[in-house]
Structures are given as structure tokens and as C-alpha cells.
Amino acid sequence: MDGLDRTRGVRLRRSAVAALALSGMLAGCGLGEPKQTYEQAYEAMRPDAMAAMKEAWPGVEMEKDSADLEECGGLDMSADKNASKIEQSATYRGEVPAEDRRSIEELARAVGERLLERGWRNGSATRSPGKGDLEFAENMPGQVLLDMEKPGVHGWVAVEASVDSPKRHSVSLNLVTECLRNPEWKKY
């Protein structure tokens, strides 16, 4: 074996290691990913969010508007996603009674304040982190959005209040997990 053959072998090994590392990154190989499942994250947020919503908006009939499980596993760069990871969300919507004269800002803050009392914080690591007092992620004419996160939980709650007409406001609460491990996914 001469020097040229040894150099070629080293290059081949380096290429193989680089290809393996790249495929691991593209596949989202699990390095540094949370151990929390999408179900655990959702169930860690739901009781606080539901209680805060009921306390902050008494008299508002909230209905579950949607509930989704979105497959988000597989290659990060691929459009083909599988169920190895799931993002779970649920949205609750309601109309504020006409006798409730609070502004949309006050309606959203009421839920945020109750979540703060339960140890939550304003903003989200993956969204718009707030500092100090409750800070709206969006504050447009006729609509406000407040993001809240629970420390140690990979997900967030989005509280929205909007003006439907001068005397009618609507509110919604959306619970969303990050793209997290699905414990039911087949392991081979």
C-alpha cells in the first residue's frame, strides 16, 4: 500500500463521517430534543389555561372550535412528514356578553394575569418573548394577541380578543404544543 492509497482511505472515512453527520442533522436525529411528548405538553398546559379562561371571562360561553394533531416528524428539509412527531392544538372561541364593558386589551390581560398567578410567563421562547408586564404579541386596531408560556413545557397559549362590532367582542384561547415526540410511533 503506498501513500496515495492511505490518503484516499482517510478522505473516504472523512466523507463518510461528514455524510453521516449531515444526514443526522437533516433527519432531526434527536440531539437536544425535548423528552416531553406532545400529549404531556398539552396536558401540562390545559388545566391552567381552562381555569384562567373561565375565571377571566365569566358568562362567556366558550366552545371548542377546533382540535388538530399535525404530523411534523421526518426530515426537517422534507415536505413528507410522518407521525413520529406531532404538534397538537385546540382552539376555544366565545362571544363576550354585551353587558361586559371591558376593552379587548382588558379581556386578554385578564387571562394573562391569571396565568401569571399560576407561574406562567409572558411570551414564548419560540414566539415573542415579553419582558416585565404583559406585552401583546400583536396589538392592532380591533384585535390583540397575547402569548403565554408555562416554564418547562414545550408549548404556548395564545389569547386573542377582537372587536366584532362597536358593542360586541369575541375572544379565543388557543393551546399549541411544539413539534414533539409521539409515544405511539412505531419503533423499529
Side-chain angles (χ1 to χ4, degrees), residues 98-119:
E99 55 272 7
D100 189 334
R101 302 280 184 208
R102 291 180 288 177
S103 69
I104 57 174
E105 293 83 3
E106 291 170 322
L107 288 165
R109 283 183 188 278
V111 174
E113 288 166 358
R114 281 157 182 84
L115 289 172
L116 286 173
E117 291 168 1
R118 290 172 167 83

Side-chain angles (χ1 to χ4, degrees), residues 129-148:
K131 298 177 181 91
D133 194 20
L134 291 171
E135 184 178 309
F136 293 113
E138 291 181 20
N139 191 352
M140 302 179 296
Q143 181 180 4
V144 294
L145 176 68
L146 181 65
D147 286 337
M148 301 293 292

